[in-house]
Amino acid sequence: MTEYEHYEAVVVGCGPGGAAAAARLADHGVETLVLERGTEAGSKNVSGGLIYAEESAPYTIDDLFEGFREEAGERPVTDYHIHNIAENSVKTYDLSDLHEDDTDWCDAVLRRKMDSWLERRVHEKTSETGGGVLTNVRVNGLLRDGGEIVGVTCDELDPIKADLIVGADGVNSELARDAGLMDWEEPDEWFQGVKAVVDMEPDVIDDRFDIEPDEGAAHLFSGDLFEDVRGGGFLYTNEDSLSIGTVFHLDSLVEQEAEPHELLDALLTHPLLAQWVRDDYHEREYAAKLVPDSKKVAHEEPYRDRLVLVGDAAGQMQAQGPIIKGMNHAVTAGALAADAFVVTRGNTDSEAVGRRYAQMLEKSGTMDKLRPRRYEISRTLGERDAVTNVVERVLESPVGSVAIGNPIANRLLKRAYNSPFLVSMLPDTKTGYVTLPSIIGEEHGRSIHWENEIEPPTLEERIGDLTYDTDIGNPHIELRDESVEASGAAVHACPVSAEDFGGGCYRSETVATNGSEETLVSLDTQPCIECGTCAVVADTDWEHPRGGKGVEYREG
Amino acid sequence: MVEGSMRSIVLTKGVPDFSEGAVSFDEDGHLERGKTPTVMNPNDGFAVRAALQTKVRHGGHVSGMSMGPPGYADVLKEAMGSVYTDDSYLLSDRELAASDTWATAITLSAGLEKYQEEVGEIDLVFAGFKSADGETGQTGPQTAWAMDWPIVTHVLALDIDPDERTLRAKRLVEGDRDEIETVEAPLPCFVVTDPEFQPTYRKASHRLTHKRLRAETEERAADHDDHLTTWSQEDLNLDPDYIGLDGSPTIVSSVDPIPKAPSEREATMVDPDEETEMSEVLEEMQPYAAGAGD
């Protein structure tokens, strides 16, 4: 084999998972190289986003990075509510009990600010042990020797060998796929989130949300404002902006042929929002991201040879009912992977580190949070169509509505929402997301008649406001099958495409051939925001753009 | 040779900032030097990149050197910012004013000799391929001649072998992009880079070094004066007859403005498929083609 550069550890991706792994490795004195494809860490990342520090977690981000909350975070969440919506009728529950369960603290974050801060800390730490962080480098695959994974290959650098490879390359991990650990097949294993970051002066935020400058609010939305699409909305307060977004099951988006940007607009223009945002609506950034459903895809053995996966790359994103926790688990996983490497260093079996890492994930209770056993049991019943339909019919009947609508039920419902135990059992059906919240809204809700003055930008304007460094002549996605059957879903589901919109990634076009007309799907990757939706719902060859190329998020 | 002990010099000069918004012309279209800021010659930027590549790959020391008025210290500071030079040497004296390329080369070679005596043996000298104001492209080759060192021009790619004390370069032949030759030269050597020169950093360690140098330089460039050495004519021990205006054989007799192309021209449209019309065109062109066969 050719003489390649060698590092003790190579960490791919400098989000919270990669940063935690690299920092912990450096703390152990391990020579660590971190490769990040963004022009700066955070420029490729999107979150809702709240980051949690759980009391039960072995590691939290502020354990590993002193000053994190002051320097990298926005506002702490001190106020937590869920709104059940049935048209103009809204029933609001205080979710503080659920939110505070096992929570040491929880802050809103914007990823460009957060991850770029982490990148600088990681570079300082890893430089001391002979490594460092390199940006604008895309790792495109695994280096193998005799079939065994021994390093990584990159677009911008010669191959690099390593004793440990940490795949922290996010939800669309190319390493996880190269290793055969994750696939891109089933829409029901994914959520898709879209988000708008909205300008708002700090004192206006304090005033409209009735909070102090060092406090923050989190609001969740569910019910019928998204028609029958399974999912919900959120609003978090940052220091001088709001993060407002929606998260939906990808299979539901596909089935309902829903346009993600329109669902976001449905939330933005609901009368409920008028209390916080007036006609001064100015959107800084539109963004989107796929979210793995850890209940289904969190890998029980996220390793192969010297490769270990952490964070989204390993499906470690806990989305259960109103709880959405990803970054904290990535941090735990990254730090544990580093510890696993140190205790198994020198072991001739290259998978020793991976096995130890998986054990640590299990022992620390992380795996049970990601894949609760309670859910495994209830899912087998709850997600069968027959069961759902029966429950739906009962709930929608006068009897069902009255049952949920009586005053005792109101108290119980609040308690149920605030029970981590019950929430972890919620099956992923229309019942939990749409039917139940809208009945609650209808029966217990109070009608609101505020005039919503928000005029969301068009999709064209949203794309126009994003920053791109296009890799001209080198598209990163290729459409393998242009037929509507294979790839037509992307026209709707892609967050920067829409039916009858010519400026997006995916368009359906009618082509005349030999006297007959045929509708085909075409692709232009220029507006791509690299969420990965089309990799799941269309037939594509999907890669990330080269280092530094493609979309650059300023907020994230 | 000990690794990391390569020593390079980057020759640079200040030129008027011809960029839009910065440059100022008077009513007659003459450049107003006083109102136009001085910047590092843009073509030196390519030399700077080659010097940086050498430093990143092989370590060592890079010094910036320039001849010019005291204000050129800012040009050397700019070079420090982009090439991450370790220090700067300015050859500055009233006696040096109005030097042509020949007198400049004599002065620069004296600067290089003094540098070798007082600072250290030089392995490589990098120069830009021409200045944005004079556009002669002579100073680099003349300085190499004065030093009696080899020179490789139009360099597109560069590899140094510090152990063998040689360099291997890909260079453009006659400026034709389609013809590229590979040459080898012993050190010390002059290298003139082509604008097409692209530094390559395919190793992670190179990029980490690059990043470290950038961080270190930011601090250093902030107090550039502490890293600047100025040598006068006396320091360089130069004979006044060979420098400045007296030492410059070039005589610029006059400067003619470039006449503007006439805005109106006569044109006749000819269909290339029309034989008669085309033969008329050929007949018209015949007199101008005369001499081609002589």
Side-chain angles (χ1 to χ4, degrees):
Chain A
M1 207 162 178
T2 328
E3 273 298 305
Y4 291 127
E5 267 188 291
H6 174 270
Y7 288 85
E8 279 187 279
V10 168
V11 177
V12 182
C14 196
R24 195 80 191 120
L25 285 164
D27 287 345
H28 287 301
V30 177
E31 177 197 46
T32 306
L33 176 69
V34 184
L35 301 173
E36 160 63 44
R37 74 185 176 90
T39 191
E40 182 179 61
S43 64
K44 295 291 183 184
N45 305 67
V46 179
S47 288
L50 301 181
I51 186 163
Y52 284 82
E54 289 184 330
E55 283 159 4
S56 62
Y59 291 101
T60 61
I61 191 114
D62 58 334
D63 290 341
L64 298 170
F65 299 97
E66 206 180 311
F68 174 87
R69 299 188 69 193
E70 298 74 25
E71 301 293 329
E74 298 290 324
R75 289 170 186 253
V77 175
T78 51
D79 199 9
Y80 208 123
H81 289 93
I82 187 164
H83 308 273
N84 296 280
I85 298 170
E87 291 180 22
N88 280 3
S89 186
V90 178
K91 177 64 193 175
T92 301
Y93 291 115
D94 188 333
L95 276 187
S96 299
D97 290 348
L98 175 64
H99 170 69
E100 283 163 17
D101 176 66
D102 194 28
T103 301
D104 184 10
W105 54 264
C106 169
D107 291 352
V109 290
L110 290 167
R111 294 295 298 277
R112 181 67 183 261
K113 175 176 152 189
M114 172 182 133
D115 294 31
S116 62
W117 183 85
L118 288 174
E119 179 201 316
R120 290 190 290 276
R121 299 292 88 73
V122 170
H123 184 68
E124 284 165 16
K125 280 176 182 259
T126 50
S127 294
E128 282 171 23
T129 56
V133 182
L134 292 179
T135 54
N136 294 313
V137 176
R138 172 180 163 251
V139 172
N140 57 22
L142 294 161
L143 181 70
R144 289 182 169 85
D145 185 7
E148 193 189 321
I149 297 165
V150 294
V152 295
T153 58
C154 319
D155 286 351
E156 292 79 11
L157 300 175
D158 294 335
I160 301 165
K161 291 178 82 172
D163 304 333
L164 170 72
I165 303 144
V166 179
D169 50 341
V171 66
N172 301 317
S173 169
E174 289 179 75
L175 295 189
R177 279 158 191 87
D178 191 340
L181 291 168
M182 301 287 271
D183 64 34
W184 252 324
E185 304 298 331
E186 303 301 330
D188 71 353
E189 294 174 350
W190 304 88
F191 302 88
Q192 183 206 69
V194 296
K195 182 177 81 161
V197 177
V198 180
D199 253 342
M200 194 171 278
E201 290 297 321
D203 55 325
V204 179
I205 295 177
D206 300 345
D207 183 43
R208 293 194 189 161
F209 289 86
D210 193 21
I211 50 179
E212 298 294 318
D214 55 354
E215 295 179 334
H219 293 271
L220 302 177
F221 309 92
S222 65
D224 67 0
L225 80 168
F226 309 115
E227 305 283 331
D228 279 339
V229 195
R230 280 181 284 122
F234 61 84
L235 182 156
Y236 307 134
T237 52
N238 303 315
E239 271 171 17
D240 61 357
S241 62
L242 306 178
S243 292
I244 307 178
T246 46
V247 182
F248 294 97
H249 279 271
L250 190 53
D251 57 326
S252 184
L253 277 175
V254 171
E255 271 162 33
Q256 305 288 327
E257 299 194 352
E259 298 281 1
H261 68 284
E262 287 177 3
L263 295 171
L264 174 64
D265 292 349
L267 171 61
L268 288 170
T269 56
H270 190 273
L272 189 58
L273 270 279
Q275 61 184 310
W276 302 305
V277 191
R278 312 269 155 82
D279 60 351
D280 51 1
Y281 183 86
H282 175 253
E283 205 171 287
R284 279 192 207 165
E285 188 172 87
Y286 173 73
K289 178 192 188 317
L290 273 193
V291 180
D293 186 348
S294 71
K295 298 190 298 298
K296 294 170 182 165
V297 299
H299 207 293
E300 309 267 11
E301 296 180 330
Y303 61 89
R304 178 143 305 165
D305 301 334
R306 293 152 206 264
L307 169 74
V308 296
L309 302 176
V310 307
D312 273 6
Q316 294 163 345
M317 169 66 112
Q318 180 191 356
Q320 179 65 65
I323 299 180
I324 302 173
K325 290 179 177 175
M327 292 178 276
N328 60 317
H329 296 312
V331 167
T332 297
L336 291 178
D339 293 347
F341 175 70
V342 173
V343 294
T344 56
R345 192 148 51 159
N347 195 318
T348 48
D349 177 0
S350 63
E351 281 199 338
V353 54
R355 275 197 306 276
R356 180 61 68 98
Y357 165 58
Q359 283 165 12
M360 287 171 150
L361 277 178
E362 186 66 44
K363 256 191 176 164
S364 63
T366 312
M367 219 47 223
D368 193 49
K369 290 174 191 164
L370 295 168
R371 296 190 82 127
R373 277 176 210 102
R374 292 188 295 273
Y375 170 79
E376 300 282 350
I377 297 159
S378 65
R379 174 192 186 186
T380 48
L381 277 178
E383 282 175 19
R384 287 223 187 106
D385 285 352
V387 178
T388 306
N389 290 341
V390 170
V391 176
E392 287 276 306
R393 274 206 298 279
V394 172
L395 286 172
E396 278 170 3
S397 71
V399 180
S401 292
V402 166
I404 297 172
N406 77 47
I408 297 164
N410 191 13
R411 279 209 309 279
L412 291 175
L413 279 168
K414 185 182 170 188
R415 259 172 56 196
Y417 260 115
N418 273 297
S419 158
F421 179 77
L422 286 177
V423 161
S424 73
M425 288 208 306
L426 268 185
D428 278 336
T429 63
K430 191 180 151 206
T431 316
Y433 283 109
V434 183
T435 317
L436 198 54
S438 30
I439 292 172
I440 296 168
E442 215 167 287
E443 297 295 330
H444 295 286
R446 157 171 88 86
S447 285
I448 50 167
H449 300 285
W450 296 310
E451 185 97 19
N452 185 313
E453 296 172 281
I454 298 173
E455 284 183 27
T458 62
L459 190 52
E460 189 173 11
E461 289 166 336
R462 282 170 165 156
I463 294 169
D465 285 342
L466 286 167
T467 306
Y468 294 96
D469 181 354
T470 306
D471 196 358
I472 297 158
N474 189 19
H476 61 284
I477 309 169
E478 274 177 42
L479 196 54
R480 273 203 303 233
D481 188 336
E482 297 180 331
S483 70
V484 172
E485 298 72 43
S487 302
V491 179
H492 300 281
C494 165
V496 288
S497 303
E499 194 68 51
D500 300 323
F501 172 54
C505 280
Y506 285 89
R507 306 115 191 237
S508 54
E509 292 171 340
T510 309
V511 188
T513 41
N514 298 331
S516 68
E517 281 198 341
E518 197 184 358
T519 304
L520 292 176
V521 178
S522 70
L523 167 65
D524 169 12
T525 57
Q526 197 283 322
C528 176
I529 49 177
E530 299 162 35
C531 68
T533 298
C534 62
V536 183
V537 306
D539 189 1
T540 61
D541 276 327
W542 203 101
E543 290 185 341
H544 289 106
R546 287 192 293 144
K549 296 290 177 184
V551 72
E552 181 193 334
Y553 287 120
R554 300 286 167 92
E555 305 288 335
Chain B
M1 157 141 226
V2 187
E3 203 193 339
S5 62
M6 291 284 293
R7 189 177 282 279
S8 307
I9 304 280
V10 176
L11 297 180
T12 182
K13 72 169 282 193
V15 296
D17 185 353
F18 288 111
S19 61
E20 193 76 31
V23 69
S24 176
F25 294 101
D26 68 13
E27 285 169 3
D28 300 326
H30 293 143
L31 179 73
E32 293 187 295
R33 280 268 185 181
K35 289 187 182 172
T36 305
T38 300
V39 294
M40 184 175 77
N41 173 32
N43 285 327
D44 295 345
F46 310 111
V48 149
R49 279 191 237 153
L52 178 54
Q53 178 187 285
T54 306
K55 182 170 176 172
V56 165
R57 289 189 186 175
H58 305 288
H61 192 99
V62 181
S63 300
M65 186 178 283
S66 187
M67 187 197 90
Y72 274 32
D74 286 343
V75 174
L76 286 164
K77 183 179 177 175
E78 193 184 333
M80 182 174 278
S82 47
V83 73
Y84 314 155
T85 51
D86 296 279
D87 45 27
S88 303
Y89 291 82
L90 180 62
L91 317 181
S92 187
D93 200 308
R94 262 176 199 287
E95 294 290 327
L96 299 171
S99 293
D100 69 357
T101 60
W102 181 254
T104 304
I106 294 295
T107 310
L108 287 174
S109 62
L112 294 175
E113 294 285 9
K114 187 175 173 67
Y115 185 98
Q116 296 227 89
E117 280 162 26
E118 296 189 3
V119 188
E121 291 289 311
I122 299 165
D123 300 297
L124 286 158
V125 178
F126 293 93
F129 84 123
K130 62 185 179 186
S131 65
D133 54 353
E135 294 222 341
T136 65
Q138 292 166 356
T139 309
Q142 284 171 340
T143 312
W145 178 86
M147 297 295 291
D148 198 17
W149 285 358
I151 181 165
V152 184
T153 57
H154 294 287
V155 170
L156 296 174
L158 184 67
D159 276 313
I160 314 280
D161 187 336
D163 299 325
E164 294 295 319
R165 293 198 51 77
T166 55
L167 67 79
R168 186 184 279 265
K170 280 197 177 121
R171 62 181 298 268
L172 279 179
V173 181
E174 295 289 316
D176 185 341
R177 288 190 60 181
D178 296 325
E179 278 188 59
I180 294 168
E181 66 176 14
T182 303
V183 298
E184 210 176 85
L187 302 184
C189 184
F190 266 67
V191 174
V192 177
T193 46
D194 189 86
E196 299 283 322
F197 178 89
Q198 283 298 339
T200 50
Y201 304 107
R202 295 284 306 176
K203 284 190 185 304
S205 56
H206 290 162
R207 292 200 182 203
L208 288 172
T209 303
H210 191 284
K211 189 168 173 171
R212 177 174 53 77
L213 291 175
R214 184 169 61 217
E216 287 171 6
T217 309
E218 269 167 26
E219 286 180 23
R220 194 166 57 239
D223 13 71
H224 178 254
D225 286 355
D226 297 348
H227 305 279
L228 174 71
T229 306
T230 306
W231 285 332
S232 65
Q233 175 235 341
E234 209 174 312
D235 294 330
L236 296 169
N237 199 20
L238 281 164
D239 185 335
D241 288 345
Y242 290 95
I243 56 166
L245 190 58
D246 293 344
S248 297
T250 311
I251 297 164
V252 180
S253 59
S254 72
V255 178
D256 296 325
I258 300 166
K260 279 187 181 171
S263 54
E264 280 181 44
R265 286 181 241 197
E266 259 180 54
T268 316
M269 297 296 284
V270 176
D271 185 347
D273 293 330
E274 283 288 332
E275 247 176 70
T276 35
E277 284 183 29
M278 282 305 286
S279 42
E280 275 170 32
V281 173
L282 288 173
E283 241 164 76
E284 285 276 329
M285 286 164 70
Q286 195 60 37
Y288 302 103
D294 287 359

